[in-house]
Amino acid sequence: MTLQDCNQQNAPRPLVLAVDDVPINLTILAARLEPEGIDVRLAGDGRTALDYAHLEPRPDLILLDVMMPDMDGYAVLEALRRSPETRDIPVIFVTARNQTEDEEKALRAGAVDYITKPINPAILMARVHLQLELKRARELVRGQKNWLEQEVNRRIAENNLLDTRLQVALSLTGFGTWENDRTTGISRWSESLNQILGLTQSPNLLADILERAHPEDCLKVQSSLTGQDASEHDIHIEEFRLRHADGHWVWLEVRSKVTQRDSDGQARITTGTMSDIGKRKSTELAERLASVVFTGINDGICITDQDKNILLVNKAFTKVTAYSPEEIIGQTPEILRSGLHGEAFYQEMQESIQQHDNWQGEITNRRKDGELVTEWLSISAVRDSRGQLTNYVGIFSDLSERKAAAERIQYLSSYDPLTNLPNRNLFGDRLDQALIVARRFERETAVILLDLDRFRTINDTFGPPAGDSVLMEVARRLNLQVRDGDTIGRRSGNEFGFVMANLSHEHDAIALAQRMLDAIAVPFTIGEHALVITASIGISVSMRDGGSAETLLNNADVALLRAKQGGRNTFRFYSPEMNANAARRLGLEAALRDALHNNELTVFYQPQVSLESGNLLGMEALLRWNTPAFGQVSPAEFIPIAEETGMIVPIGDWVLRQACQQTRQWLDLGLASLRVAVNLSTRQFRQRNLIDQVRRALIESGLPPQALELEITESAFIDDVDEAIAQCRALKALGTKLSLDDFGTGYSSLAYISRFPFDKIKIDQGFIRDIIENPANAAIATATIVMARSLNLAVLAEGVETEAQASFLRGRRCDAMQGFLFSRPLPASEFAQLMTANKRLPIADAPRESAQTLLIVDDEPNILASLSRLLRRESFQVLTANSPSEAFEYLAKHPIQVILSDQRMPEMSGTEFFARVKQLHPDTIRIVLTGYTDLESVTGAINRGAIYKFLTKPWDDDQLREQIRDAFRLAKDIRPQHSRNEA
């Protein structure tokens, strides 16, 4: 890192610790400092300030009040200066004492500045910024100094390291340097060159060197060292042999150059290097020998001396054992021992060689990487003409490939090659064994079948390789969930099976099934895409659901089908009642085929009303089925059957025509100018003749196209977005309206929404059910409304059942709603009466925003009554709630500025309640009042901003009233600021 880099590092936001025993002063200081990009830490007394000053990160500046109870500002400053961690933090006194002697005393005590109250905001910010800049400058100078010292030390260390490495490199690489003066005959050798030849002292004269030269190489040595054959500029390279101190010959490569010549141009001083090339020479010799002897040999060959030291190996040997010649030569064959054969095996081998000069047989050796290899080995003894043993020659052929092929065939008969899990055959065998053990010990065994939902879409969209990758990852995740001794297998393309042996309780299977669903739910990465996949699980248990493997598997399959029918991404157990359910489903399917012909289907209508005016806007056509055989059948039961069998297409066309004709009749009667919404199923939407069906329904009924709204779910267009867009545009060309139904429950990207010609988005009732108390669902609904308005789309909320929900949605500018709050779905005759009666959704008068309202939450009625009596003479309105649920109702209906809540309540604690309120209604001022001191959770809530103040029971009446008045004053200051920020 350079000094410039050090200076350019991004600095964190400055942190200021404000200390004052008056909370409103702290609030004002925070409101002044935070918009300036300064983080603020607040302390209400001196001891808390000392604790906060030692917290990481430490403050960059402290604004310290002087006059505080228990411990005044001077005592705090003295304590700060005594601590090594805080002594350098600058302190500005902020006080109402404005005498010159007070300021002089403060500065002498160590304060860097002195500000008097009332505070001038401009002067405050100027002095704060000045001290922060001074502190930053001091830290910058200190950092630069440290950096320079580190850089100097680093460069010194680098130079020392480079010098050491150079010396080590010369020694390790076998290079040595020399210089020869021809006129004097004196030679100078480096220490590394002496080491190569094993010399303790360098030879001083050329004659001494020539004495060590090989007889065949004397002329080469003399020519190289004297430079007599060297040209003026070239480097002369030569190879020769010199005698080592222990007597053996060392092959050397010498590189020489004339560095100085005399007046006649003759070489005077020659300089060069020598390097040991003995290994290279030995390798070259061995390679030449091997290329002649081993040519065409595919089996591994190993030649040793009489002591079994390896002399030569061929390439086949190296390939099988993974040992290079350099690693193996000089070793003995024992290096290849696998440890699978005992000493008796090798003793028998040795006796055979001694008696017959030969041994052959199957042996298992170990490669360099530890892998076992099976070989057919033949060892022969080589003797000279006198019969003396000179060498051993081993020749082997690798049997591993042959054995691997046989093992692979055996493996594939029992395991799935993609996931390496047991296949259907082995899975069945494992299940049989588990059932035998379970019967013996009177235990239960669970059979679990898991099927990936809509897996075919992955293969169709991303290709089979991506599908294989997902299956392998699924297998890996599922393996992490099962216990030792249990079995997981792949039974078919995207179906996995589990044998949960020794089941002690049904809950164990439930826990395992939930873990599996959670593991599958983690997004999968395919290229640049993050894909969410769900699974369905069916479970059967022995002996309750059957005693044989076949019966349990069949029953688990039935349970799996039930899980898929239940909406997928869930699990179901098999039970005897499911046989009756299966029979009922078959009966429903048969009856549904005749339902249209028998006039058993009816269209009900659920009103859709404006949240702003309460007026009726339209209605949604909903299908109902009442059959003599089964009575009233829920749409949740028969619609999936109609979808799967394809009967939804003619039924959907009938509903469309019925809704258009009925709406036309009401328009002709002058009852209202309404729009009817009709659901298009996924199959119906994908029909080629859908446009003709809609056009025919409009023409036959005479209904204006703009009075028809077609509702489409996201699942209808997820498979082929471009084709779905074209279909929607064709429907829009007819003049109809389009709405996106059940928004937020599908899988499509929000980026698709802007490409479709929708007129309306319907928020699914799953987000509305707990919208007033669930911050996550409230945020999703709010974001949906904001997004829809930015796209010029209307928004309708489904399943609105309470006035609180309606008020919450109205406050978020949701356009319309449907739900039991206004009306349940009605048959046509009752819906006509509703229109005739001109029923409207009651819209309560909006409370005045300027009205001050306090909400008290406590589960004890006497506490609520006592607080209501205490505060009844105050200028603000008091509302009481005996639970957080009731409080959320009030918050959804009324503008409330201050909330006073008990900490310990059965439904949830006060801090948990306020954590949700902070997200749902951030402008409120939140106070905890309790008889129990839970300091840790309350302190955490204060630090997170969830609560404003913490008061204890029993309370002081006057103090409580004053604290609430302060809260209303603070709310009055905060709300205009939030309004300006939102504007």
Side-chain angles (χ1 to χ4, degrees), residues 470-528:
V470 169
L471 289 174
M472 289 188 290
E473 175 61 15
V474 167
R476 186 192 69 81
R477 296 183 186 183
L478 295 181
N479 263 319
L480 297 176
Q481 309 306 321
V482 296
R483 308 170 304 177
D484 291 337
D486 293 342
T487 297
I488 171 175
R490 184 185 178 198
R491 301 188 71 242
S492 63
N494 60 312
E495 182 178 299
F496 296 81
F498 302 83
V499 176
M500 195 174 185
N502 295 323
L503 184 67
S504 58
H505 197 280
E506 188 175 281
H507 291 309
D508 294 339
I510 294 175
L512 175 60
Q514 189 58 56
R515 290 200 308 271
M516 291 174 179
L517 292 178
D518 294 341
I520 298 295
V522 177
F524 292 77
T525 300
I526 300 179
E528 299 179 354

Coordinates of all heavy atoms in Angstrom, one line a residue, residues 470-528:
V470 N -28.9 -29.9 -11.1 CA -29.9 -29.7 -9.9 C -30.1 -31.0 -9.2 O -30.1 -31.0 -8.0 CB -31.2 -29.1 -10.5 CG1 -32.3 -29.2 -9.4 CG2 -31.0 -27.7 -11.0
L471 N -30.2 -32.1 -9.9 CA -30.4 -33.4 -9.3 C -29.3 -33.8 -8.4 O -29.4 -34.3 -7.3 CB -30.7 -34.5 -10.3 CG -32.0 -34.4 -11.1 CD1 -32.1 -35.4 -12.2 CD2 -33.2 -34.6 -10.1
M472 N -28.0 -33.5 -8.9 CA -26.9 -33.8 -8.1 C -26.8 -33.0 -6.8 O -26.5 -33.5 -5.7 CB -25.6 -33.7 -8.9 CG -25.4 -34.7 -10.0 SD -23.8 -34.6 -10.8 CE -24.0 -33.1 -11.8
E473 N -27.2 -31.7 -6.9 CA -27.2 -30.8 -5.8 C -28.3 -31.2 -4.8 O -28.1 -31.2 -3.6 CB -27.4 -29.4 -6.2 CG -27.5 -28.4 -5.1 CD -26.3 -28.3 -4.2 OE1 -25.2 -28.8 -4.5 OE2 -26.4 -27.7 -3.1
V474 N -29.4 -31.6 -5.3 CA -30.5 -32.1 -4.5 C -30.1 -33.3 -3.7 O -30.3 -33.5 -2.5 CB -31.8 -32.5 -5.3 CG1 -32.8 -33.2 -4.5 CG2 -32.4 -31.2 -5.8
A475 N -29.4 -34.3 -4.4 CA -28.9 -35.5 -3.7 C -27.9 -35.1 -2.6 O -27.9 -35.7 -1.5 CB -28.2 -36.4 -4.7
R476 N -27.0 -34.1 -2.8 CA -26.1 -33.7 -1.8 C -26.8 -33.1 -0.6 O -26.5 -33.4 0.5 CB -25.1 -32.7 -2.4 CG -24.0 -32.3 -1.5 CD -23.3 -31.0 -2.0 NE -24.1 -29.9 -1.9 CZ -24.3 -29.2 -0.8 NH1 -23.7 -29.5 0.3 NH2 -25.0 -28.1 -0.8
R477 N -27.8 -32.3 -0.8 CA -28.5 -31.6 0.3 C -29.3 -32.7 1.1 O -29.3 -32.6 2.3 CB -29.4 -30.6 -0.3 CG -28.7 -29.4 -0.9 CD -29.8 -28.3 -1.4 NE -29.1 -27.3 -2.1 CZ -29.8 -26.2 -2.6 NH1 -31.1 -26.1 -2.3 NH2 -29.2 -25.3 -3.3
L478 N -29.9 -33.6 0.4 CA -30.7 -34.6 1.1 C -29.8 -35.5 1.9 O -30.2 -36.0 3.0 CB -31.6 -35.4 0.1 CG -32.6 -34.6 -0.6 CD1 -33.4 -35.5 -1.6 CD2 -33.6 -33.9 0.3
N479 N -28.7 -35.8 1.4 CA -27.7 -36.7 2.2 C -27.4 -36.1 3.5 O -27.0 -36.8 4.5 CB -26.5 -37.0 1.3 CG -26.5 -38.3 0.6 OD1 -27.0 -39.3 1.2 ND2 -26.1 -38.3 -0.6
L480 N -27.4 -34.8 3.6 CA -27.0 -34.1 4.8 C -28.1 -34.1 5.9 O -27.8 -33.8 7.0 CB -26.7 -32.6 4.5 CG -25.5 -32.3 3.6 CD1 -25.3 -30.8 3.3 CD2 -24.2 -32.9 4.2
Q481 N -29.3 -34.5 5.5 CA -30.4 -34.5 6.4 C -30.7 -35.8 7.1 O -31.3 -35.9 8.1 CB -31.7 -34.1 5.6 CG -31.5 -32.8 4.8 CD -31.0 -31.6 5.7 OE1 -31.4 -31.4 6.8 NE2 -30.2 -30.8 5.1
V482 N -30.3 -37.0 6.5 CA -30.7 -38.3 7.0 C -29.7 -38.7 8.1 O -28.5 -38.3 8.1 CB -30.7 -39.3 5.9 CG1 -31.8 -38.9 4.9 CG2 -29.4 -39.4 5.1
R483 N -30.1 -39.7 8.9 CA -29.3 -40.2 9.9 C -28.4 -41.3 9.4 O -28.7 -41.9 8.4 CB -30.2 -40.7 11.1 CG -31.2 -39.8 11.6 CD -32.2 -40.5 12.5 NE -32.8 -41.7 11.9 CZ -33.6 -42.5 12.5 NH1 -33.9 -42.3 13.8 NH2 -34.1 -43.5 11.9
D484 N -27.4 -41.7 10.2 CA -26.6 -42.8 9.8 C -27.5 -44.1 10.0 O -28.2 -44.2 11.0 CB -25.4 -42.9 10.8 CG -24.4 -41.8 10.5 OD1 -24.3 -41.3 9.4 OD2 -23.6 -41.5 11.4
G485 N -27.4 -45.0 9.0 CA -28.2 -46.2 9.1 C -29.4 -46.1 8.2 O -30.1 -47.1 7.9
D486 N -29.9 -44.9 7.9 CA -31.0 -44.7 7.0 C -30.5 -44.7 5.6 O -29.4 -44.6 5.3 CB -31.7 -43.3 7.3 CG -32.4 -43.3 8.7 OD1 -32.6 -44.4 9.2 OD2 -32.6 -42.2 9.2
T487 N -31.5 -44.9 4.6 CA -31.2 -45.1 3.2 C -31.9 -44.0 2.4 O -33.0 -43.7 2.6 CB -31.6 -46.5 2.7 OG1 -30.8 -47.5 3.4 CG2 -31.3 -46.6 1.2
I488 N -31.1 -43.4 1.5 CA -31.7 -42.4 0.6 C -31.4 -43.0 -0.8 O -30.2 -43.4 -1.1 CB -31.1 -41.0 0.7 CG1 -31.6 -40.1 -0.4 CG2 -29.6 -41.0 0.8 CD1 -31.2 -38.7 -0.2
G489 N -32.3 -43.0 -1.7 CA -32.1 -43.5 -3.1 C -32.9 -42.7 -4.1 O -33.8 -41.9 -3.8
R490 N -32.5 -42.9 -5.3 CA -33.2 -42.2 -6.4 C -34.0 -43.3 -7.2 O -33.5 -44.2 -7.8 CB -32.2 -41.6 -7.4 CG -32.8 -40.8 -8.5 CD -31.8 -40.3 -9.5 NE -32.4 -39.6 -10.6 CZ -31.8 -39.3 -11.8 NH1 -30.6 -39.7 -12.0 NH2 -32.4 -38.7 -12.7
R491 N -35.3 -43.1 -7.1 CA -36.2 -44.1 -7.6 C -36.6 -43.9 -9.1 O -36.9 -44.8 -9.8 CB -37.5 -44.2 -6.8 CG -37.2 -44.5 -5.3 CD -38.5 -44.8 -4.6 NE -39.2 -46.0 -5.0 CZ -40.3 -46.1 -5.5 NH1 -41.0 -45.0 -5.8 NH2 -40.8 -47.3 -5.8
S492 N -36.6 -42.7 -9.5 CA -36.8 -42.3 -11.0 C -36.3 -41.0 -11.3 O -35.5 -40.4 -10.5 CB -38.3 -42.4 -11.2 OG -39.0 -41.4 -10.5
G493 N -36.7 -40.4 -12.4 CA -36.1 -39.1 -12.8 C -35.9 -38.1 -11.8 O -34.8 -37.7 -11.4
N494 N -37.0 -37.6 -11.1 CA -36.9 -36.6 -10.1 C -37.6 -37.0 -8.8 O -38.1 -36.2 -8.1 CB -37.5 -35.2 -10.6 CG -39.0 -35.4 -11.0 OD1 -39.4 -36.3 -11.7 ND2 -39.8 -34.4 -10.5
E495 N -37.7 -38.3 -8.6 CA -38.2 -38.8 -7.4 C -37.2 -39.5 -6.5 O -36.4 -40.4 -7.0 CB -39.4 -39.8 -7.7 CG -40.0 -40.4 -6.4 CD -41.2 -41.3 -6.7 OE1 -42.1 -40.9 -7.4 OE2 -41.1 -42.5 -6.4
F496 N -37.1 -39.2 -5.3 CA -36.2 -39.7 -4.3 C -36.9 -40.5 -3.2 O -38.0 -40.1 -2.9 CB -35.3 -38.7 -3.7 CG -34.4 -37.9 -4.7 CD1 -34.9 -36.9 -5.5 CD2 -33.1 -38.3 -4.9 CE1 -34.1 -36.3 -6.4 CE2 -32.3 -37.6 -5.8 CZ -32.8 -36.6 -6.6
G497 N -36.3 -41.5 -2.7 CA -36.9 -42.3 -1.7 C -36.1 -42.4 -0.4 O -34.8 -42.3 -0.5
F498 N -36.7 -42.6 0.7 CA -36.0 -42.6 2.0 C -36.5 -43.8 2.8 O -37.7 -44.0 2.9 CB -36.1 -41.3 2.8 CG -35.7 -40.1 2.1 CD1 -36.5 -39.5 1.2 CD2 -34.4 -39.6 2.3 CE1 -36.0 -38.4 0.5 CE2 -33.9 -38.5 1.6 CZ -34.8 -37.9 0.7
V499 N -35.6 -44.5 3.4 CA -36.0 -45.5 4.4 C -35.5 -45.1 5.8 O -34.3 -45.0 6.0 CB -35.4 -46.9 4.1 CG1 -35.8 -47.9 5.2 CG2 -35.9 -47.4 2.7
M500 N -36.5 -44.7 6.6 CA -36.1 -44.2 7.9 C -36.3 -45.4 8.9 O -37.4 -45.6 9.4 CB -37.0 -43.0 8.3 CG -36.5 -42.2 9.5 SD -37.5 -40.7 9.7 CE -36.6 -39.9 11.1
A501 N -35.2 -46.1 9.2 CA -35.3 -47.3 10.0 C -35.4 -46.9 11.5 O -35.0 -45.8 11.9 CB -34.1 -48.2 9.8
N502 N -35.9 -47.9 12.3 CA -36.0 -47.7 13.8 C -36.7 -46.4 14.1 O -36.1 -45.6 14.9 CB -34.6 -47.8 14.4 CG -33.9 -49.1 14.3 OD1 -34.6 -50.1 14.3 ND2 -32.6 -49.1 14.0
L503 N -37.8 -46.2 13.6 CA -38.6 -44.9 13.8 C -39.2 -45.1 15.2 O -39.9 -46.0 15.5 CB -39.7 -44.8 12.8 CG -40.5 -43.5 12.9 CD1 -39.7 -42.3 12.6 CD2 -41.7 -43.6 12.0
S504 N -38.8 -44.1 16.1 CA -39.3 -44.2 17.5 C -40.6 -43.4 17.6 O -41.4 -43.8 18.5 CB -38.3 -43.5 18.4 OG -38.0 -42.2 18.0
H505 N -40.8 -42.4 16.8 CA -42.1 -41.6 16.9 C -42.4 -41.0 15.5 O -41.4 -40.7 14.8 CB -42.0 -40.6 18.0 CG -43.3 -40.0 18.4 ND1 -44.0 -39.0 17.7 CD2 -44.1 -40.3 19.5 CE1 -45.1 -38.7 18.3 NE2 -45.2 -39.5 19.4
E506 N -43.6 -40.8 15.3 CA -44.0 -40.2 14.0 C -43.5 -38.8 13.8 O -43.2 -38.3 12.7 CB -45.6 -40.2 13.9 CG -46.1 -39.7 12.6 CD -47.6 -39.8 12.5 OE1 -48.1 -40.9 12.4 OE2 -48.3 -38.8 12.7
H507 N -43.3 -38.1 15.0 CA -42.7 -36.7 14.9 C -41.3 -36.7 14.2 O -40.9 -35.7 13.7 CB -42.7 -36.1 16.3 CG -44.0 -35.8 16.8 ND1 -45.0 -35.1 16.2 CD2 -44.6 -36.2 18.0 CE1 -46.1 -35.0 16.9 NE2 -45.9 -35.7 18.0
D508 N -40.5 -37.8 14.4 CA -39.2 -37.9 13.8 C -39.3 -37.8 12.3 O -38.5 -37.1 11.6 CB -38.5 -39.2 14.2 CG -38.2 -39.2 15.7 OD1 -38.2 -38.1 16.3 OD2 -38.0 -40.3 16.2
A509 N -40.3 -38.5 11.7 CA -40.5 -38.4 10.3 C -41.0 -37.0 9.9 O -40.6 -36.5 8.8 CB -41.5 -39.5 9.8
I510 N -41.8 -36.4 10.7 CA -42.3 -35.0 10.4 C -41.1 -34.1 10.4 O -40.9 -33.2 9.4 CB -43.3 -34.6 11.4 CG1 -44.6 -35.4 11.3 CG2 -43.6 -33.1 11.2 CD1 -45.6 -35.1 12.3
A511 N -40.2 -34.2 11.4 CA -39.0 -33.3 11.4 C -38.1 -33.5 10.2 O -37.6 -32.5 9.6 CB -38.3 -33.5 12.7
L512 N -37.9 -34.8 9.8 CA -37.1 -35.0 8.7 C -37.7 -34.5 7.4 O -37.0 -33.9 6.6 CB -36.8 -36.5 8.5 CG -36.1 -37.0 7.3 CD1 -34.7 -36.4 7.3 CD2 -36.0 -38.5 7.2
A513 N -39.0 -34.7 7.2 CA -39.6 -34.1 6.0 C -39.5 -32.6 6.0 O -39.3 -32.1 4.9 CB -41.1 -34.6 6.0
Q514 N -39.7 -32.0 7.1 CA -39.6 -30.5 7.1 C -38.2 -30.0 6.8 O -38.0 -29.1 6.0 CB -40.0 -29.9 8.4 CG -40.2 -28.4 8.4 CD -41.2 -27.9 7.4 OE1 -42.3 -28.3 7.4 NE2 -40.7 -27.0 6.5
R515 N -37.2 -30.8 7.3 CA -35.8 -30.4 7.0 C -35.5 -30.6 5.5 O -34.8 -29.8 4.9 CB -34.8 -31.3 7.8 CG -34.8 -31.0 9.3 CD -33.5 -31.5 9.9 NE -33.2 -32.9 9.6 CZ -33.7 -33.9 10.3 NH1 -34.4 -33.7 11.4 NH2 -33.4 -35.2 10.0
M516 N -36.1 -31.6 4.9 CA -35.9 -31.8 3.5 C -36.5 -30.7 2.7 O -35.9 -30.2 1.7 CB -36.5 -33.2 3.1 CG -35.7 -34.4 3.6 SD -36.6 -35.9 3.3 CE -35.5 -37.1 4.0
L517 N -37.7 -30.3 3.0 CA -38.3 -29.2 2.3 C -37.5 -27.9 2.4 O -37.4 -27.2 1.5 CB -39.8 -29.0 2.8 CG -40.8 -30.1 2.5 CD1 -42.1 -29.8 3.1 CD2 -40.9 -30.4 1.0
D518 N -37.0 -27.7 3.6 CA -36.2 -26.5 3.9 C -34.9 -26.5 3.1 O -34.5 -25.5 2.5 CB -35.9 -26.3 5.4 CG -37.1 -26.0 6.2 OD1 -38.2 -25.6 5.6 OD2 -37.1 -26.2 7.4
A519 N -34.3 -27.7 3.0 CA -33.1 -27.8 2.2 C -33.3 -27.6 0.7 O -32.5 -26.9 0.1 CB -32.4 -29.2 2.5
I520 N -34.4 -28.1 0.2 CA -34.7 -27.9 -1.2 C -35.1 -26.5 -1.5 O -34.8 -26.0 -2.6 CB -35.9 -28.9 -1.6 CG1 -35.5 -30.3 -1.4 CG2 -36.3 -28.6 -3.1 CD1 -34.4 -30.8 -2.3
A521 N -35.7 -25.8 -0.5 CA -36.1 -24.4 -0.8 C -35.0 -23.4 -0.9 O -35.2 -22.3 -1.4 CB -37.0 -24.0 0.4
V522 N -33.8 -23.8 -0.5 CA -32.6 -22.9 -0.7 C -32.4 -22.7 -2.2 O -32.3 -23.7 -3.0 CB -31.4 -23.4 0.0 CG1 -30.2 -22.5 -0.3 CG2 -31.6 -23.6 1.5
P523 N -32.3 -21.5 -2.7 CA -32.2 -21.3 -4.2 C -31.0 -22.0 -4.8 O -29.9 -22.1 -4.2 CB -32.0 -19.7 -4.3 CG -32.6 -19.2 -3.1 CD -32.4 -20.2 -2.0
F524 N -31.2 -22.5 -6.0 CA -30.2 -23.2 -6.8 C -29.6 -22.2 -7.8 O -30.4 -21.4 -8.3 CB -30.8 -24.4 -7.6 CG -31.2 -25.5 -6.7 CD1 -32.4 -25.5 -6.0 CD2 -30.4 -26.7 -6.6 CE1 -32.8 -26.5 -5.2 CE2 -30.8 -27.7 -5.8 CZ -32.0 -27.7 -5.1
T525 N -28.3 -22.3 -8.1 CA -27.7 -21.4 -9.0 C -27.5 -22.1 -10.3 O -26.8 -23.2 -10.4 CB -26.4 -20.9 -8.5 OG1 -26.6 -20.2 -7.2 CG2 -25.7 -20.0 -9.5
I526 N -28.1 -21.6 -11.4 CA -27.9 -22.2 -12.7 C -27.4 -21.1 -13.6 O -28.1 -20.2 -14.0 CB -29.2 -22.7 -13.3 CG1 -29.7 -23.9 -12.4 CG2 -29.0 -23.3 -14.7 CD1 -31.0 -24.5 -12.9
G527 N -26.1 -21.1 -13.9 CA -25.5 -20.0 -14.6 C -25.6 -18.7 -13.8 O -25.1 -18.6 -12.7
E528 N -26.3 -17.7 -14.4 CA -26.5 -16.4 -13.8 C -27.8 -16.4 -13.1 O -28.2 -15.3 -12.6 CB -26.4 -15.3 -14.8 CG -25.0 -15.2 -15.5 CD -24.9 -14.1 -16.5 OE1 -26.0 -13.5 -16.8 OE2 -23.8 -13.9 -17.1

